[in-house]
Amino acid sequence: MNAFSPEDGLTLDEAMEELVSAEDFLEFFDIPFDIPVVQVNRLHIMQRYHDYLTQAGDLDSHEEEARYNIFRQLLARAYQDFVDSDALTEKVFKVFKRNDPKSTFVPIEQLLS
């Protein structure tokens, strides 16, 4: 059961202001989750969720229920990314996107000049 209901007198944005953890978001949007997956990947899941929301563009013009469903779908997708994969493979954060310094080739001529 989700925590959002227009009958409560709160907007979706107001209700979401109370959420502080990845688990809060998953519970709010009624998304079943495996605790160990969230414990290991919480920051990655939330960043991927933020990225998906950014890609979705302006959602403010949608009705509350439609926005709730879109938010829920995007969070479920972000969570599933880390069920099916891992943080190193998904490369959510900039630190994972850098080239591996061990695999960088520098010709000896550059070192001597």
Side-chain angles (χ1 to χ4, degrees):
M1 179 170 90
N2 72 60
F4 175 68
S5 173
E7 291 82 40
D8 292 340
L10 295 176
T11 67
L12 178 58
D13 292 332
E14 290 169 340
M16 288 177 58
E17 286 177 7
E18 302 298 319
L19 308 177
V20 295
S21 69
E23 291 87 348
D24 288 348
F25 276 84
L26 291 161
E27 289 171 1
F28 178 81
F29 287 106
D30 197 25
I31 298 169
F33 62 94
D34 186 24
I35 293 171
V37 171
V38 176
Q39 288 175 336
V40 170
N41 298 294
R42 74 179 68 252
L43 295 176
H44 301 279
I45 293 167
M46 296 310 294
Q47 181 61 50
R48 178 62 56 87
Y49 177 50
H50 176 266
D51 294 345
Y52 286 155
L53 286 171
T54 300
Q55 291 170 5
D58 182 21
L59 298 172
D60 290 338
S61 62
H62 292 71
E63 296 291 326
E64 291 284 287
E65 186 174 339
R67 287 180 66 227
Y68 174 87
N69 290 328
I70 293 168
F71 289 178
R72 182 182 190 282
Q73 177 186 17
L74 295 176
L75 180 58
R77 182 175 162 201
Y79 168 74
Q80 194 61 44
D81 287 348
F82 295 93
V83 170
D84 297 337
S85 189
D86 60 45
L88 188 57
T89 303
E90 292 299 317
K91 299 183 186 320
V92 172
F93 291 106
K94 186 177 181 179
V95 68
F96 291 116
K97 294 178 184 177
R98 295 188 309 200
N99 290 331
D100 183 355
K102 292 182 252 173
S103 66
T104 303
F105 176 76
V106 179
I108 189 100
E109 295 82 24
Q110 282 186 346
L111 294 173
L112 297 174
S113 56

